[in-house]
Amino acid sequence: MPNSHRLGRLIAWWALNRAAEQGLAWVRRGTGQEQLARYYQEAQGWDLLRIVDRRGAKVFFLQREAKALPELVDLMASRGL
């Protein structure tokens, strides 16, 4: 279940913004939970890159294009960050 404060999404947006600032094209993330991978895809726009079997468990690797998010500063300030 996603965090009701959406701090994970805020961290992901920071990573996307930071990567864009550094001239990187992509940000990648992984999870061992299929439901969370689905949430990342449907709610946050991440693309499934591949699914790997690690010691009998599925690991979902996702990626998203790095993107400058100028509104991020205001979002973080509104949360006292």
Side-chain angles (χ1 to χ4, degrees):
M1 167 127 310
N3 183 321
S4 62
H5 299 289
R6 306 226 186 265
L7 294 176
R9 182 176 64 178
L10 191 60
I11 292 167
W13 285 351
W14 177 88
L16 294 167
N17 187 70
R18 181 74 172 148
E21 288 175 350
Q22 294 182 341
L24 301 172
W26 296 95
V27 174
R28 292 186 174 166
R29 73 187 312 173
T31 181
Q33 299 178 9
E34 186 172 359
Q35 184 178 4
L36 195 51
R38 196 174 315 115
Y39 169 76
Y40 290 153
Q41 292 171 79
E42 295 171 1
Q44 295 184 6
W46 292 80
D47 296 319
L48 183 63
L49 184 61
R50 67 180 169 268
I51 302 170
V52 177
D53 181 60
R54 295 274 168 94
R55 298 183 182 118
K58 289 182 182 178
V59 179
F60 302 84
F61 291 98
L62 303 104
Q63 70 179 9
R64 186 169 166 183
E65 193 169 1
K67 178 181 176 184
L69 301 166
E71 67 276 12
L72 185 61
V73 173
D74 291 336
L75 284 171
M76 293 178 77
S78 71
R79 294 174 185 260
L81 304 173

